Every structure is written in structure tokens, then in C-alpha cells.
Amino acid sequence: GQITSLLFSPSQFSTMSASNLTQSRPAFFILKGIPGLESMHMWISIPFSSFYCATILGNCTLLFVISTEHSLHKPMYLLVAMLALTDLGMSTSTIPKVLCIFWFSWTRISFEGCLTQLFFIHSITALHSSILTAMAFDRYIAICQPLRYTSILSNGRIGLIGLVSLVRATLFILPMPLLLQKMPFCEHREIPYTYCEHMAVVKVACADTRVNRMFGLAIALVVVGLDLSAIGSSYALILRAVLRLSSRQAHHKAVHTCTAHVCVMLTSYTACLFSFLTHRFGHGIPPHVHTILGNLYFLFPPMLNPIIYGVKTKEFWNKVAKYKCWRPAL
């Protein structure tokens, strides 16, 4: 005992005991689901699974019709197909695990699996934002410079836009899991959500997380700020061009051309910004409300987007009607 007391001071003992409470790479995290509503998980899973099935059905129908109908192989519909792919990726990166928590109480997720899910959630969100920006540019060219539309936006350029958007999303988001991989985590590995969101994982770390927090905030402001600025500029120019039109019919046609994209943009960005702000600043929101609303971001926009384009785009609706045994009355 005397030898031990000579070798280690009380402060060193406290440091050693603190180090035993952390480990650089925990084997797993515990996803708590919806805090306070654990007994209701089975009932909550009914609308969640219904919305997810509707998302899969709607977006797969969208992709099937666009891929099989050569008349839809146009820049606008190729962007819609990209949006459908990101919607599928967004829901599939989270909802299957959520349903496993609700149905089977499989609350564990491996450390690597958590960081992988985190990467896909945020990279697909950034990709989704880029595609919405490209769709706004598409509508600007279609209304403000219709005679140059085919020369400015070809199918090849749409593919290039998609590739650049994918590279941008990957490069922006990849540092997030890489930074977290090197951080120590506490023995308390519980994440009070149904999925591994960046800020939720950062809060479990037992170290100074200012770099992680600032990087996440900077990326969110850059991605959303740049994209919303570009979308706003496009629609400002579209509005100016529409107001210059003398024909009321031309007004109606121009507005109808943008309606679907505006609806999709509002549902997507409203849910995205709410989820982002509540994760960072929503300290007064009850945990179960916070978690449910966060999950709705991965359910409602992906489910509604194919419905919006199916209803608002007559050309697409006519193609869908070909695969039914009935035609809607016009």
C-alpha cells in the first residue's frame, strides 16, 4: 500500500479511474427508440411501416415508369428519378432499423454500423438538396430561356450534375464519421433516438466536441445556405419572367410548371430544417416529440414526393395510366 501511494498520487488515481470509464471504440451503441413511449412502440410501428411501404411503392413506380418510357427520358424526369433514388435511400437508411427496434427490441447497433448510418443519412440529405437545386435551375431554363433548353440541359449534363452532387455530398460528409472514429466514448452508450444522427452521437462522446459541432454546423450552413440561395435566385428570376408575360394563360402554364417542384421543396426543406434545429437547439421540446418529428423527416417527404409529381405532372400520370386496367376520366 505504501509503495502504491508513493508511485501514484490521488489525482493520478482519479485520472486512471476516469480513463476506465471510456474507451476509444465501443463495440456498440444502444438506440433507445422513442423515450417514454417504449410500451407504445408496437402501435407506433403501424403508421411507420405503412408510410415506408407507401414510400417504396410510390418511388419504385416512379422509377419504373421513367426507365421504361422513352418519352420521359428528358432532363426534368431524369432529375425526378434522381430525387426518387435519394428518397428511397433516405428512408431505407433509417426506417428498417427503426422497425426492428419497435418490433423486436433490437436496440443495439455496432459502432461501425452507427457511423455508416450517420454517413448515409447526412450524405443523402446533402445529395437530396443538390438535386432540388438542379430542379430549380431546370425550371428557370424551361421558363426564362425555353428556346435554349435542349442546348443547355442535355441528358448528359444532367448525369454530370448528378455525379458532381454525389461527389460534393461525399466529400462534405465523410469527415464527420472520420472525426468521430478517433474520439473516446463514455460507458454510457445510450442514444435517445431511433437512428444515429451526427449530433446525437457527438453528445455521447467523452471529449471536447467543439470541432465536431462546429464542423457539422458549418457543413449544414454551407450546403443549405448555398442551395437555398440558388433556389431563391432561380425563382426570383422565374417570377420576374412570369410577371412580364401578358397572357393570362401563359401565367397559368408557367405557374403550373413550377408547382410540383415548389411543393416538394417545401416539404423537404421544412422537415429538414426542423430536424436540424431541434437536434441542436430544441432543449425545451419533450424527447418523444423530438424523436417522432425527427423520424417523420425520413417518412413524409419521401412518401409525398412521388404523389406530388404523379398528381401534378399530367404527362407522367398518363404514362402511369397505361399500366392500369382502367383510365381515369378526364
Side-chain angles (χ1 to χ4, degrees), residues 54 63 89 102 111 159 166 232 237 248 268 275 280 297 304 324:
L63 291 170
F102 289 167
F111 180 77
L166 179 62
L237 295 172
R248 186 173 181 179
S268 299
S275 179
R280 288 180 172 272
Y297 168 61
L304 292 177
K324 297 179 180 179

Side-chain angles (χ1 to χ4, degrees), residues 132-147:
L132 289 176
T133 306
M135 294 175 86
F137 180 68
D138 170 81
R139 294 300 84 202
Y140 160 73
I141 299 297
I143 294 174
C144 299
Q145 302 186 39
L147 299 178

Side-chain angles (χ1 to χ4, degrees), residues 155-175:
N155 290 351
R157 285 183 180 172
I158 293 298
L160 182 61
I161 288 173
L163 180 61
V164 170
S165 300
L166 179 62
V167 171
R168 185 190 82 149
T170 302
L171 292 179
F172 277 8
I173 303 302
L174 188 59

Side-chain angles (χ1 to χ4, degrees), residues 51-117:
F51 293 158
Y52 182 57
C53 289
T55 297
I56 299 295
L57 180 61
N59 286 286
C60 286
T61 301
L62 207 65
L63 291 170
F64 173 76
V65 174
I66 293 174
S67 63
T68 54
E69 292 292 335
H70 292 287
S71 61
L72 298 181
H73 292 179
K74 302 174 184 178
M76 173 185 171
Y77 291 103
L78 293 180
L79 288 170
V80 171
M82 291 181 187
L83 189 71
L85 286 172
T86 59
D87 284 337
L88 286 172
M90 190 181 299
S91 290
T92 305
S93 64
T94 54
I95 302 304
K97 179 60 180 176
V98 173
L99 293 177
C100 285
I101 295 172
F102 289 167
W103 289 341
F104 312 113
S105 298
W106 292 351
T107 56
R108 286 192 180 191
I109 184 170
S110 67
F111 180 77
E112 294 79 9
C114 185
L115 295 188
T116 301
Q117 186 187 53

Side-chain angles (χ1 to χ4, degrees), residues 23-233:
Q23 58 183 71
S24 58
R25 294 189 61 175
F28 58 87
F29 291 110
I30 300 293
L31 296 172
K32 295 294 290 181
I34 302 179
L37 297 179
E38 288 84 359
S39 61
M40 299 289 292
H41 277 177
M42 190 61 67
W43 292 106
I44 297 172
S45 70
I46 296 174
F48 272 57
S49 57
S50 301
F51 293 158
Y52 182 57
C53 289
T55 297
I56 299 295
L57 180 61
N59 286 286
C60 286
T61 301
L62 207 65
L63 291 170
F64 173 76
V65 174
I66 293 174
S67 63
T68 54
E69 292 292 335
H70 292 287
S71 61
L72 298 181
H73 292 179
K74 302 174 184 178
M76 173 185 171
Y77 291 103
L78 293 180
L79 288 170
V80 171
M82 291 181 187
L83 189 71
L85 286 172
T86 59
D87 284 337
L88 286 172
M90 190 181 299
S91 290
T92 305
S93 64
T94 54
I95 302 304
K97 179 60 180 176
V98 173
L99 293 177
C100 285
I101 295 172
F102 289 167
W103 289 341
F104 312 113
S105 298
W106 292 351
T107 56
R108 286 192 180 191
I109 184 170
S110 67
F111 180 77
E112 294 79 9
C114 185
L115 295 188
T116 301
Q117 186 187 53
L118 180 153
F119 171 76
F120 277 107
I121 287 173
H122 292 285
S123 59
I124 292 173
T125 300
L127 180 58
H128 193 270
S129 181
S130 297
I131 293 171
L132 289 176
T133 306
M135 294 175 86
F137 180 68
D138 170 81
R139 294 300 84 202
Y140 160 73
I141 299 297
I143 294 174
C144 299
Q145 302 186 39
L147 299 178
R148 299 181 58 199
Y149 183 85
T150 54
S151 61
I152 295 176
L153 285 178
S154 62
N155 290 351
R157 285 183 180 172
I158 293 298
L160 182 61
I161 288 173
L163 180 61
V164 170
S165 300
L166 179 62
V167 171
R168 185 190 82 149
T170 302
L171 292 179
F172 277 8
I173 303 302
L174 188 59
M176 286 184 180
L178 293 180
L179 286 171
L180 285 169
Q181 196 171 23
K182 299 178 180 180
M183 297 195 73
F185 287 87
C186 302
E187 283 293 319
H188 177 72
R189 307 189 198 106
E190 293 184 351
I191 297 176
Y193 301 106
T194 54
Y195 55 89
C196 289
E197 196 268 345
H198 177 246
M199 282 304 301
V201 179
V202 166
K203 291 175 182 177
V204 186
C206 281
D208 187 356
T209 59
R210 280 179 295 180
V211 173
N212 304 73
R213 292 172 182 269
M214 293 303 297
F215 180 80
L217 181 61
I219 291 298
L221 292 176
V222 167
V223 171
V224 177
L226 288 177
D227 291 350
L228 282 179
S229 298
I231 292 171
S233 301

